Amino acid sequence: MPRGQKSKLRAREKRRQARTETQGLEVAKASGAAAAGKSPSSVFGDRPENLPAAGTPSTPEAPEGATGATAASSGTNSAENINSPKAESTSFPKGAESSLSEILNKKVVLLVQFLLQKYQKKEPIRKAEMMKFVIKQYKSHYNEILKRASDHMELAFGVDLKEVDPTRHCYTLVNKLDLSYDSALNEYEHMPKTGILMIVLGVIFMRGNCAPEEAIWEVLNMMGVYAERKHFIYGDPKKVLTEDLVQLKYLEYRQVANSEPPRYEFLWGPRAHAETSKMKVLEFLAKVHDTVPTAFPSWYQEALRDEEERARARAAARARTAALASARSRARASTSSQAK
C-alpha cells in the first residue's frame, strides 16, 4: 500500500477514535438529561396518566482535560487506550478530595468509553478486561459500575448490554432496533442515532401516533439537543431527524395540511414499524423516567393491543407460507405421478 494511503488510513482511524473517546466521556450527561426537567405528562401529551415526576438519575461528569484528541494520541488499541497513564491520572486525581462517589462516577465514564470502543471495533466484551483495564481495585463495585454504564449506553445510544456467555462472562452490545441498514451504511456510524430515534418514536406514540415538530423539539431541548446547534453525539440534529432518518424510512416528516405558515409533523416510518414496536419504545421511555411501562396505563394498553395485532399478523403469515409450501408439494407430487 502506498505510504500516502497508509497515512490517510491512520489519520482516519485516529479521527474516529477521537470521536469515540469524546462521546464516551460526555455521554453520561445526555443520558441523565433525558429524564430531567418536566414530568412525562407535561411533555408527551395532555391525556391524564398516573405518572411519577421525572427524576434525574445520577450521572458521572466528564473528567476535566480528558479530551478525544488526547485519548486518540495514545493509540488505537481500545484496552491500552482506556488504560493509558494520562487517562488514568487525569480521570482519577490522587488525594483525600476524591470521594468514592466521584471515583465510581469516573469509572462509569471510562467503562462507557471502553464499551463504545469495543462496539466500534466489533470486539468481544469480557469481564476480565473490564476488571483489568477499568474497574481495577474497585472490584467490589463492579456490578454497580457495570449497571450504570449499561444504563447510559441504553439511554444515550439505544443499545443493550447482553451477557452471551455466563461461564466466561462475555457480553455483547445489541441495538434496540432490529437493524437492517443497507450494505453501504456502517452500523457504528448510525449507532448514536438510535437513542434519539427511540425518544422521537416515543413522543410520536404518546401524542397519538402523530407528533407536531414543535413537540419533538420540546422534548429534545430538555436533553440539551437543539435544532440550530451542533450536538457532540448527534451532529446536526435537525438533519438527522428531517433527512437522515427520513431517508432511512424510520420517520415520516410531512407538512400539516392547510397550515399557513407551513407547520410539520412526524410519524413512524415503515422501518420503525418493522424493526421495533410500541411496547419496546414504551419500555425504553419508562426506563428514561425510572419507572415501568404500566405507569403509563392507556399507552400500555395500546402497546398490548399492538403486540396482539403483530402476533396475529405473524401467525397469518406463517399460515400463508405453510399453505403455499403444501400447494407446491402437492403440485410436484401430481407432476411426478403423471410423468410415471
Side-chain angles (χ1 to χ4, degrees), residues 77-126:
N77 181 277
S78 59
E80 290 177 1
N81 202 27
I82 286 287
N83 199 33
S84 67
K86 179 173 285 189
E88 189 68 13
S89 63
T90 303
S91 303
F92 300 96
K94 303 296 187 290
E97 70 278 4
S98 297
S99 68
L100 177 62
S101 177
E102 291 171 336
I103 291 173
L104 294 183
N105 281 347
K106 291 168 184 175
K107 288 290 187 184
V108 173
V109 171
L110 283 181
L111 186 54
V112 169
Q113 176 183 329
F114 178 86
L115 294 173
L116 282 171
Q117 291 176 4
K118 288 292 187 180
Y119 189 94
Q120 173 191 8
K121 294 175 177 294
K122 300 186 185 299
E123 294 176 350
I125 301 167
R126 297 185 176 92

mmCIF file of all heavy atoms in Angstrom, residues 77-126:
data_model
loop_
_atom_site.group_PDB
_atom_site.id
_atom_site.type_symbol
_atom_site.label_atom_id
_atom_site.label_comp_id
_atom_site.label_asym_id
_atom_site.label_seq_id
_atom_site.Cartn_x
_atom_site.Cartn_y
_atom_site.Cartn_z
ATOM 1 N N ASN A 77 -5.472 0.807 20.081
ATOM 2 C CA ASN A 77 -5.925 -0.360 20.808
ATOM 3 C C ASN A 77 -6.825 0.076 21.951
ATOM 4 O O ASN A 77 -6.445 0.865 22.794
ATOM 5 C CB ASN A 77 -4.723 -1.144 21.367
ATOM 6 C CG ASN A 77 -5.159 -2.385 22.107
ATOM 7 O OD1 ASN A 77 -5.520 -2.308 23.268
ATOM 8 N ND2 ASN A 77 -5.131 -3.516 21.424
ATOM 9 N N SER A 78 -8.056 -0.468 21.979
ATOM 10 C CA SER A 78 -9.039 0.041 22.927
ATOM 11 C C SER A 78 -8.628 -0.180 24.370
ATOM 12 O O SER A 78 -8.748 0.708 25.197
ATOM 13 C CB SER A 78 -10.395 -0.617 22.661
ATOM 14 O OG SER A 78 -10.296 -2.018 22.795
ATOM 15 N N ALA A 79 -8.133 -1.371 24.695
ATOM 16 C CA ALA A 79 -7.776 -1.645 26.082
ATOM 17 C C ALA A 79 -6.601 -0.789 26.530
ATOM 18 O O ALA A 79 -6.607 -0.214 27.612
ATOM 19 C CB ALA A 79 -7.432 -3.125 26.246
ATOM 20 N N GLU A 80 -5.575 -0.665 25.689
ATOM 21 C CA GLU A 80 -4.422 0.148 26.048
ATOM 22 C C GLU A 80 -4.817 1.601 26.194
ATOM 23 O O GLU A 80 -4.345 2.319 27.079
ATOM 24 C CB GLU A 80 -3.329 0.015 24.974
ATOM 25 C CG GLU A 80 -2.669 -1.364 24.968
ATOM 26 C CD GLU A 80 -1.649 -1.476 23.851
ATOM 27 O OE1 GLU A 80 -1.480 -0.476 23.126
ATOM 28 O OE2 GLU A 80 -1.043 -2.539 23.707
ATOM 29 N N ASN A 81 -5.704 2.060 25.291
ATOM 30 C CA ASN A 81 -6.090 3.465 25.307
ATOM 31 C C ASN A 81 -6.857 3.811 26.579
ATOM 32 O O ASN A 81 -6.644 4.853 27.180
ATOM 33 C CB ASN A 81 -6.963 3.753 24.076
ATOM 34 C CG ASN A 81 -6.955 5.207 23.734
ATOM 35 O OD1 ASN A 81 -5.991 5.906 24.028
ATOM 36 N ND2 ASN A 81 -8.012 5.666 23.102
ATOM 37 N N ILE A 82 -7.760 2.922 26.997
ATOM 38 C CA ILE A 82 -8.504 3.138 28.233
ATOM 39 C C ILE A 82 -7.563 3.200 29.419
ATOM 40 O O ILE A 82 -7.761 3.946 30.362
ATOM 41 C CB ILE A 82 -9.504 1.979 28.435
ATOM 42 C CG1 ILE A 82 -10.675 2.130 27.475
ATOM 43 C CG2 ILE A 82 -10.019 1.912 29.863
ATOM 44 C CD1 ILE A 82 -11.615 3.218 27.832
ATOM 45 N N ASN A 83 -6.483 2.392 29.344
ATOM 46 C CA ASN A 83 -5.599 2.227 30.487
ATOM 47 C C ASN A 83 -4.350 3.092 30.407
ATOM 48 O O ASN A 83 -3.391 2.882 31.125
ATOM 49 C CB ASN A 83 -5.184 0.745 30.590
ATOM 50 C CG ASN A 83 -4.658 0.393 31.962
ATOM 51 O OD1 ASN A 83 -5.117 0.956 32.950
ATOM 52 N ND2 ASN A 83 -3.708 -0.519 32.021
ATOM 53 N N SER A 84 -4.354 4.079 29.516
ATOM 54 C CA SER A 84 -3.158 4.893 29.345
ATOM 55 C C SER A 84 -2.858 5.694 30.604
ATOM 56 O O SER A 84 -3.768 6.099 31.317
ATOM 57 C CB SER A 84 -3.363 5.860 28.160
ATOM 58 O OG SER A 84 -4.359 6.797 28.465
ATOM 59 N N PRO A 85 -1.587 5.938 30.914
ATOM 60 C CA PRO A 85 -1.241 6.694 32.127
ATOM 61 C C PRO A 85 -1.888 8.061 32.180
ATOM 62 O O PRO A 85 -2.364 8.505 33.210
ATOM 63 C CB PRO A 85 0.291 6.791 32.041
ATOM 64 C CG PRO A 85 0.694 5.643 31.180
ATOM 65 C CD PRO A 85 -0.401 5.462 30.200
ATOM 66 N N LYS A 86 -1.946 8.724 31.024
ATOM 67 C CA LYS A 86 -2.536 10.073 31.020
ATOM 68 C C LYS A 86 -4.018 10.020 31.348
ATOM 69 O O LYS A 86 -4.534 10.804 32.140
ATOM 70 C CB LYS A 86 -2.326 10.731 29.654
ATOM 71 C CG LYS A 86 -2.936 12.131 29.590
ATOM 72 C CD LYS A 86 -2.573 12.839 28.303
ATOM 73 C CE LYS A 86 -1.161 13.320 28.300
ATOM 74 N NZ LYS A 86 -0.838 14.191 27.164
ATOM 75 N N ALA A 87 -4.736 9.030 30.732
ATOM 76 C CA ALA A 87 -6.171 8.923 31.011
ATOM 77 C C ALA A 87 -6.410 8.614 32.475
ATOM 78 O O ALA A 87 -7.295 9.150 33.113
ATOM 79 C CB ALA A 87 -6.803 7.837 30.138
ATOM 80 N N GLU A 88 -5.563 7.717 33.055
ATOM 81 C CA GLU A 88 -5.768 7.328 34.445
ATOM 82 C C GLU A 88 -5.469 8.474 35.389
ATOM 83 O O GLU A 88 -6.208 8.748 36.311
ATOM 84 C CB GLU A 88 -4.854 6.133 34.757
ATOM 85 C CG GLU A 88 -5.116 5.494 36.100
ATOM 86 C CD GLU A 88 -6.461 4.794 36.139
ATOM 87 O OE1 GLU A 88 -7.063 4.608 35.078
ATOM 88 O OE2 GLU A 88 -6.923 4.458 37.236
ATOM 89 N N SER A 89 -4.398 9.187 35.125
ATOM 90 C CA SER A 89 -4.027 10.272 36.032
ATOM 91 C C SER A 89 -4.999 11.436 35.929
ATOM 92 O O SER A 89 -5.298 12.097 36.911
ATOM 93 C CB SER A 89 -2.602 10.761 35.716
ATOM 94 O OG SER A 89 -2.548 11.301 34.408
ATOM 95 N N THR A 90 -5.537 11.654 34.705
ATOM 96 C CA THR A 90 -6.484 12.746 34.534
ATOM 97 C C THR A 90 -7.825 12.413 35.172
ATOM 98 O O THR A 90 -8.461 13.250 35.787
ATOM 99 C CB THR A 90 -6.699 13.012 33.023
ATOM 100 O OG1 THR A 90 -5.437 13.300 32.449
ATOM 101 C CG2 THR A 90 -7.631 14.180 32.809
ATOM 102 N N SER A 91 -8.236 11.132 35.029
ATOM 103 C CA SER A 91 -9.556 10.756 35.478
ATOM 104 C C SER A 91 -9.629 10.518 36.979
ATOM 105 O O SER A 91 -10.671 10.658 37.574
ATOM 106 C CB SER A 91 -10.006 9.479 34.744
ATOM 107 O OG SER A 91 -9.976 9.692 33.357
ATOM 108 N N PHE A 92 -8.521 10.124 37.598
ATOM 109 C CA PHE A 92 -8.546 9.751 38.999
ATOM 110 C C PHE A 92 -7.508 10.532 39.781
ATOM 111 O O PHE A 92 -6.405 10.065 40.038
ATOM 112 C CB PHE A 92 -8.304 8.240 39.151
ATOM 113 C CG PHE A 92 -9.337 7.443 38.437
ATOM 114 C CD1 PHE A 92 -9.103 6.959 37.163
ATOM 115 C CD2 PHE A 92 -10.580 7.217 39.010
ATOM 116 C CE1 PHE A 92 -10.074 6.242 36.499
ATOM 117 C CE2 PHE A 92 -11.552 6.490 38.346
ATOM 118 C CZ PHE A 92 -11.298 6.006 37.091
ATOM 119 N N PRO A 93 -7.806 11.777 40.138
ATOM 120 C CA PRO A 93 -6.863 12.586 40.896
ATOM 121 C C PRO A 93 -6.580 11.955 42.245
ATOM 122 O O PRO A 93 -7.475 11.450 42.920
ATOM 123 C CB PRO A 93 -7.583 13.927 41.052
ATOM 124 C CG PRO A 93 -9.020 13.585 40.887
ATOM 125 C CD PRO A 93 -9.088 12.458 39.931
ATOM 126 N N LYS A 94 -5.305 11.981 42.647
ATOM 127 C CA LYS A 94 -4.910 11.431 43.936
ATOM 128 C C LYS A 94 -5.218 12.451 45.030
ATOM 129 O O LYS A 94 -5.230 13.647 44.812
ATOM 130 C CB LYS A 94 -3.412 11.121 43.934
ATOM 131 C CG LYS A 94 -2.968 10.156 42.834
ATOM 132 C CD LYS A 94 -3.614 8.782 43.028
ATOM 133 C CE LYS A 94 -3.034 7.787 42.043
ATOM 134 N NZ LYS A 94 -3.404 8.016 40.693
ATOM 135 N N GLY A 95 -5.479 11.974 46.232
ATOM 136 C CA GLY A 95 -5.707 12.899 47.339
ATOM 137 C C GLY A 95 -7.026 12.649 48.026
ATOM 138 O O GLY A 95 -7.933 11.984 47.506
ATOM 139 N N ALA A 96 -7.159 13.205 49.196
ATOM 140 C CA ALA A 96 -8.340 12.969 50.019
ATOM 141 C C ALA A 96 -9.594 13.593 49.434
ATOM 142 O O ALA A 96 -10.708 13.209 49.798
ATOM 143 C CB ALA A 96 -8.096 13.518 51.415
ATOM 144 N N GLU A 97 -9.444 14.567 48.507
ATOM 145 C CA GLU A 97 -10.624 15.259 47.995
ATOM 146 C C GLU A 97 -11.437 14.369 47.059
ATOM 147 O O GLU A 97 -12.569 14.700 46.710
ATOM 148 C CB GLU A 97 -10.205 16.545 47.263
ATOM 149 C CG GLU A 97 -9.472 16.357 45.928
ATOM 150 C CD GLU A 97 -7.998 16.091 46.110
ATOM 151 O OE1 GLU A 97 -7.549 15.983 47.269
ATOM 152 O OE2 GLU A 97 -7.286 16.002 45.084
ATOM 153 N N SER A 98 -10.874 13.245 46.633
ATOM 154 C CA SER A 98 -11.595 12.349 45.723
ATOM 155 C C SER A 98 -12.430 11.378 46.527
ATOM 156 O O SER A 98 -11.915 10.441 47.111
ATOM 157 C CB SER A 98 -10.607 11.570 44.853
ATOM 158 O OG SER A 98 -9.885 12.445 44.037
ATOM 159 N N SER A 99 -13.712 11.606 46.586
ATOM 160 C CA SER A 99 -14.602 10.714 47.328
ATOM 161 C C SER A 99 -14.849 9.455 46.513
ATOM 162 O O SER A 99 -14.632 9.416 45.302
ATOM 163 C CB SER A 99 -15.934 11.412 47.613
ATOM 164 O OG SER A 99 -16.643 11.599 46.400
ATOM 165 N N LEU A 100 -15.324 8.417 47.184
ATOM 166 C CA LEU A 100 -15.639 7.171 46.496
ATOM 167 C C LEU A 100 -16.689 7.400 45.418
ATOM 168 O O LEU A 100 -16.598 6.847 44.313
ATOM 169 C CB LEU A 100 -16.145 6.129 47.507
ATOM 170 C CG LEU A 100 -16.593 4.788 46.915
ATOM 171 C CD1 LEU A 100 -15.441 4.087 46.212
ATOM 172 C CD2 LEU A 100 -17.182 3.907 48.006
ATOM 173 N N SER A 101 -17.673 8.249 45.715
ATOM 174 C CA SER A 101 -18.724 8.523 44.735
ATOM 175 C C SER A 101 -18.150 9.130 43.461
ATOM 176 O O SER A 101 -18.523 8.737 42.353
ATOM 177 C CB SER A 101 -19.757 9.475 45.339
ATOM 178 O OG SER A 101 -20.738 9.818 44.389
ATOM 179 N N GLU A 102 -17.244 10.081 43.590
ATOM 180 C CA GLU A 102 -16.627 10.714 42.419
ATOM 181 C C GLU A 102 -15.821 9.700 41.619
ATOM 182 O O GLU A 102 -15.846 9.693 40.378
ATOM 183 C CB GLU A 102 -15.731 11.865 42.869
ATOM 184 C CG GLU A 102 -16.493 13.054 43.427
ATOM 185 C CD GLU A 102 -15.570 14.081 44.064
ATOM 186 O OE1 GLU A 102 -14.452 13.704 44.478
ATOM 187 O OE2 GLU A 102 -15.959 15.248 44.144
ATOM 188 N N ILE A 103 -15.087 8.840 42.337
ATOM 189 C CA ILE A 103 -14.270 7.839 41.652
ATOM 190 C C ILE A 103 -15.156 6.861 40.882
ATOM 191 O O ILE A 103 -14.882 6.532 39.720
ATOM 192 C CB ILE A 103 -13.376 7.091 42.664
ATOM 193 C CG1 ILE A 103 -12.300 8.036 43.194
ATOM 194 C CG2 ILE A 103 -12.717 5.880 42.014
ATOM 195 C CD1 ILE A 103 -11.461 7.461 44.322
ATOM 196 N N LEU A 104 -16.245 6.415 41.509
ATOM 197 C CA LEU A 104 -17.142 5.487 40.823
ATOM 198 C C LEU A 104 -17.801 6.153 39.616
ATOM 199 O O LEU A 104 -17.997 5.515 38.578
ATOM 200 C CB LEU A 104 -18.203 4.965 41.796
ATOM 201 C CG LEU A 104 -17.695 4.091 42.950
ATOM 202 C CD1 LEU A 104 -18.865 3.589 43.781
ATOM 203 C CD2 LEU A 104 -16.859 2.921 42.433
ATOM 204 N N ASN A 105 -18.152 7.435 39.745
ATOM 205 C CA ASN A 105 -18.696 8.163 38.590
ATOM 206 C C ASN A 105 -17.726 8.140 37.421
ATOM 207 O O ASN A 105 -18.108 7.912 36.272
ATOM 208 C CB ASN A 105 -18.985 9.622 38.976
ATOM 209 C CG ASN A 105 -20.277 9.777 39.758
ATOM 210 O OD1 ASN A 105 -21.085 8.864 39.832
ATOM 211 N ND2 ASN A 105 -20.462 10.938 40.348
ATOM 212 N N LYS A 106 -16.462 8.371 37.706
ATOM 213 C CA LYS A 106 -15.463 8.406 36.641
ATOM 214 C C LYS A 106 -15.190 7.012 36.090
ATOM 215 O O LYS A 106 -14.895 6.855 34.899
ATOM 216 C CB LYS A 106 -14.190 9.056 37.162
ATOM 217 C CG LYS A 106 -14.383 10.548 37.438
ATOM 218 C CD LYS A 106 -13.241 11.156 38.223
ATOM 219 C CE LYS A 106 -13.540 12.621 38.542
ATOM 220 N NZ LYS A 106 -12.514 13.226 39.405
ATOM 221 N N LYS A 107 -15.315 5.997 36.941
ATOM 222 C CA LYS A 107 -15.202 4.621 36.458
ATOM 223 C C LYS A 107 -16.323 4.309 35.468
ATOM 224 O O LYS A 107 -16.121 3.633 34.459
ATOM 225 C CB LYS A 107 -15.260 3.640 37.635
ATOM 226 C CG LYS A 107 -14.021 3.614 38.508
ATOM 227 C CD LYS A 107 -12.830 3.003 37.800
ATOM 228 C CE LYS A 107 -11.636 2.834 38.733
ATOM 229 N NZ LYS A 107 -10.444 2.316 38.034
ATOM 230 N N VAL A 108 -17.530 4.815 35.764
ATOM 231 C CA VAL A 108 -18.648 4.613 34.849
ATOM 232 C C VAL A 108 -18.355 5.257 33.501
ATOM 233 O O VAL A 108 -18.587 4.675 32.436
ATOM 234 C CB VAL A 108 -19.955 5.183 35.447
ATOM 235 C CG1 VAL A 108 -21.087 5.135 34.422
ATOM 236 C CG2 VAL A 108 -20.358 4.400 36.686
ATOM 237 N N VAL A 109 -17.822 6.469 33.520
ATOM 238 C CA VAL A 109 -17.477 7.169 32.275
ATOM 239 C C VAL A 109 -16.460 6.371 31.480
ATOM 240 O O VAL A 109 -16.590 6.177 30.268
ATOM 241 C CB VAL A 109 -16.938 8.583 32.579
ATOM 242 C CG1 VAL A 109 -16.379 9.225 31.323
ATOM 243 C CG2 VAL A 109 -18.043 9.450 33.159
ATOM 244 N N LEU A 110 -15.424 5.890 32.160
ATOM 245 C CA LEU A 110 -14.397 5.111 31.467
ATOM 246 C C LEU A 110 -14.965 3.814 30.906
ATOM 247 O O LEU A 110 -14.571 3.373 29.817
ATOM 248 C CB LEU A 110 -13.236 4.804 32.415
ATOM 249 C CG LEU A 110 -12.251 5.943 32.681
ATOM 250 C CD1 LEU A 110 -11.141 5.478 33.607
ATOM 251 C CD2 LEU A 110 -11.653 6.474 31.384
ATOM 252 N N LEU A 111 -15.889 3.189 31.621
ATOM 253 C CA LEU A 111 -16.465 1.949 31.122
ATOM 254 C C LEU A 111 -17.350 2.214 29.910
ATOM 255 O O LEU A 111 -17.360 1.418 28.955
ATOM 256 C CB LEU A 111 -17.257 1.248 32.234
ATOM 257 C CG LEU A 111 -17.790 -0.150 31.871
ATOM 258 C CD1 LEU A 111 -16.658 -1.054 31.378
ATOM 259 C CD2 LEU A 111 -18.490 -0.782 33.061
ATOM 260 N N VAL A 112 -18.095 3.314 29.908
ATOM 261 C CA VAL A 112 -18.875 3.682 28.719
ATOM 262 C C VAL A 112 -17.933 3.864 27.532
ATOM 263 O O VAL A 112 -18.200 3.385 26.421
ATOM 264 C CB VAL A 112 -19.685 4.970 28.972
ATOM 265 C CG1 VAL A 112 -20.271 5.511 27.667
ATOM 266 C CG2 VAL A 112 -20.805 4.709 29.970
ATOM 267 N N GLN A 113 -16.840 4.556 27.764
ATOM 268 C CA GLN A 113 -15.833 4.775 26.722
ATOM 269 C C GLN A 113 -15.292 3.437 26.221
ATOM 270 O O GLN A 113 -15.162 3.204 25.007
ATOM 271 C CB GLN A 113 -14.708 5.617 27.321
ATOM 272 C CG GLN A 113 -13.519 5.876 26.421
ATOM 273 C CD GLN A 113 -12.458 6.655 27.169
ATOM 274 O OE1 GLN A 113 -12.765 7.446 28.045
ATOM 275 N NE2 GLN A 113 -11.210 6.425 26.837
ATOM 276 N N PHE A 114 -14.991 2.531 27.139
ATOM 277 C CA PHE A 114 -14.484 1.206 26.807
ATOM 278 C C PHE A 114 -15.499 0.437 25.957
ATOM 279 O O PHE A 114 -15.154 -0.187 24.941
ATOM 280 C CB PHE A 114 -14.190 0.454 28.113
ATOM 281 C CG PHE A 114 -13.695 -0.952 27.948
ATOM 282 C CD1 PHE A 114 -12.345 -1.208 27.764
ATOM 283 C CD2 PHE A 114 -14.568 -2.023 28.002
ATOM 284 C CE1 PHE A 114 -11.880 -2.513 27.627
ATOM 285 C CE2 PHE A 114 -14.115 -3.321 27.867
ATOM 286 C CZ PHE A 114 -12.775 -3.564 27.683
ATOM 287 N N LEU A 115 -16.775 0.471 26.350
ATOM 288 C CA LEU A 115 -17.816 -0.249 25.622
ATOM 289 C C LEU A 115 -18.012 0.316 24.219
ATOM 290 O O LEU A 115 -18.237 -0.428 23.265
ATOM 291 C CB LEU A 115 -19.126 -0.192 26.408
ATOM 292 C CG LEU A 115 -19.139 -0.928 27.754
ATOM 293 C CD1 LEU A 115 -20.438 -0.659 28.502
ATOM 294 C CD2 LEU A 115 -18.922 -2.417 27.571
ATOM 295 N N LEU A 116 -17.944 1.640 24.093
ATOM 296 C CA LEU A 116 -18.062 2.256 22.763
ATOM 297 C C LEU A 116 -16.958 1.788 21.832
ATOM 298 O O LEU A 116 -17.187 1.494 20.656
ATOM 299 C CB LEU A 116 -18.024 3.782 22.888
ATOM 300 C CG LEU A 116 -19.302 4.479 23.346
ATOM 301 C CD1 LEU A 116 -19.024 5.948 23.618
ATOM 302 C CD2 LEU A 116 -20.395 4.337 22.297
ATOM 303 N N GLN A 117 -15.744 1.702 22.354
ATOM 304 C CA GLN A 117 -14.622 1.262 21.531
ATOM 305 C C GLN A 117 -14.795 -0.199 21.121
ATOM 306 O O GLN A 117 -14.507 -0.568 19.972
ATOM 307 C CB GLN A 117 -13.315 1.455 22.286
ATOM 308 C CG GLN A 117 -12.936 2.910 22.490
ATOM 309 C CD GLN A 117 -11.681 3.068 23.328
ATOM 310 O OE1 GLN A 117 -11.048 2.095 23.705
ATOM 311 N NE2 GLN A 117 -11.332 4.302 23.630
ATOM 312 N N LYS A 118 -15.252 -1.021 22.041
ATOM 313 C CA LYS A 118 -15.481 -2.426 21.717
ATOM 314 C C LYS A 118 -16.561 -2.565 20.649
ATOM 315 O O LYS A 118 -16.456 -3.382 19.734
ATOM 316 C CB LYS A 118 -15.889 -3.195 22.983
ATOM 317 C CG LYS A 118 -14.757 -3.407 23.973
ATOM 318 C CD LYS A 118 -13.704 -4.350 23.415
ATOM 319 C CE LYS A 118 -12.666 -4.715 24.444
ATOM 320 N NZ LYS A 118 -11.634 -5.643 23.895
ATOM 321 N N TYR A 119 -17.619 -1.752 20.768
ATOM 322 C CA TYR A 119 -18.699 -1.788 19.787
ATOM 323 C C TYR A 119 -18.179 -1.367 18.416
ATOM 324 O O TYR A 119 -18.492 -1.982 17.396
ATOM 325 C CB TYR A 119 -19.830 -0.862 20.237
ATOM 326 C CG TYR A 119 -21.103 -0.981 19.417
ATOM 327 C CD1 TYR A 119 -22.138 -1.810 19.809
ATOM 328 C CD2 TYR A 119 -21.262 -0.241 18.241
ATOM 329 C CE1 TYR A 119 -23.303 -1.916 19.076
ATOM 330 C CE2 TYR A 119 -22.426 -0.341 17.490
ATOM 331 C CZ TYR A 119 -23.445 -1.179 17.904
ATOM 332 O OH TYR A 119 -24.588 -1.285 17.155
ATOM 333 N N GLN A 120 -17.374 -0.310 18.401
ATOM 334 C CA GLN A 120 -16.823 0.200 17.149
ATOM 335 C C GLN A 120 -15.962 -0.841 16.455
ATOM 336 O O GLN A 120 -16.057 -1.050 15.248
ATOM 337 C CB GLN A 120 -15.987 1.450 17.430
ATOM 338 C CG GLN A 120 -15.228 1.968 16.217
ATOM 339 C CD GLN A 120 -14.216 3.031 16.600
ATOM 340 O OE1 GLN A 120 -13.982 3.272 17.781
ATOM 341 N NE2 GLN A 120 -13.613 3.650 15.622
ATOM 342 N N LYS A 121 -15.123 -1.518 17.217
ATOM 343 C CA LYS A 121 -14.178 -2.477 16.643
ATOM 344 C C LYS A 121 -14.764 -3.879 16.512
ATOM 345 O O LYS A 121 -14.084 -4.792 16.036
ATOM 346 C CB LYS A 121 -12.917 -2.524 17.513
ATOM 347 C CG LYS A 121 -12.131 -1.228 17.514
ATOM 348 C CD LYS A 121 -10.967 -1.311 18.498
ATOM 349 C CE LYS A 121 -10.136 -0.031 18.456
ATOM 350 N NZ LYS A 121 -9.446 0.154 17.181
ATOM 351 N N LYS A 122 -16.032 -4.049 16.958
ATOM 352 C CA LYS A 122 -16.702 -5.348 16.915
ATOM 353 C C LYS A 122 -15.885 -6.400 17.660
ATOM 354 O O LYS A 122 -15.769 -7.545 17.224
ATOM 355 C CB LYS A 122 -16.969 -5.775 15.468
ATOM 356 C CG LYS A 122 -17.845 -4.801 14.697
ATOM 357 C CD LYS A 122 -18.200 -5.325 13.329
ATOM 358 C CE LYS A 122 -18.976 -4.282 12.524
ATOM 359 N NZ LYS A 122 -20.247 -3.907 13.141
ATOM 360 N N GLU A 123 -15.322 -6.007 18.780
ATOM 361 C CA GLU A 123 -14.542 -6.913 19.613
ATOM 362 C C GLU A 123 -15.413 -7.473 20.729
ATOM 363 O O GLU A 123 -16.343 -6.796 21.188
ATOM 364 C CB GLU A 123 -13.343 -6.189 20.228
ATOM 365 C CG GLU A 123 -12.314 -5.724 19.217
ATOM 366 C CD GLU A 123 -11.183 -4.922 19.863
ATOM 367 O OE1 GLU A 123 -11.312 -4.582 21.068
ATOM 368 O OE2 GLU A 123 -10.204 -4.641 19.177
ATOM 369 N N PRO A 124 -15.139 -8.695 21.192
ATOM 370 C CA PRO A 124 -15.903 -9.234 22.328
ATOM 371 C C PRO A 124 -15.648 -8.421 23.591
ATOM 372 O O PRO A 124 -14.567 -7.856 23.771
ATOM 373 C CB PRO A 124 -15.359 -10.667 22.467
ATOM 374 C CG PRO A 124 -14.011 -10.638 21.818
ATOM 375 C CD PRO A 124 -14.105 -9.635 20.713
ATOM 376 N N ILE A 125 -16.653 -8.354 24.443
ATOM 377 C CA ILE A 125 -16.550 -7.621 25.708
ATOM 378 C C ILE A 125 -16.437 -8.645 26.826
ATOM 379 O O ILE A 125 -17.370 -9.425 27.057
ATOM 380 C CB ILE A 125 -17.786 -6.717 25.916
ATOM 381 C CG1 ILE A 125 -17.920 -5.724 24.761
ATOM 382 C CG2 ILE A 125 -17.703 -5.981 27.251
ATOM 383 C CD1 ILE A 125 -19.265 -5.022 24.714
ATOM 384 N N ARG A 126 -15.303 -8.665 27.502
ATOM 385 C CA ARG A 126 -15.059 -9.668 28.536
ATOM 386 C C ARG A 126 -14.956 -9.002 29.907
ATOM 387 O O ARG A 126 -14.336 -7.949 30.050
ATOM 388 C CB ARG A 126 -13.782 -10.445 28.241
ATOM 389 C CG ARG A 126 -13.825 -11.244 26.938
ATOM 390 C CD ARG A 126 -12.570 -12.090 26.766
ATOM 391 N NE ARG A 126 -12.647 -12.918 25.583
ATOM 392 C CZ ARG A 126 -12.195 -12.546 24.378
ATOM 393 N NH1 ARG A 126 -11.652 -11.346 24.238
ATOM 394 N NH2 ARG A 126 -12.305 -13.347 23.344
#
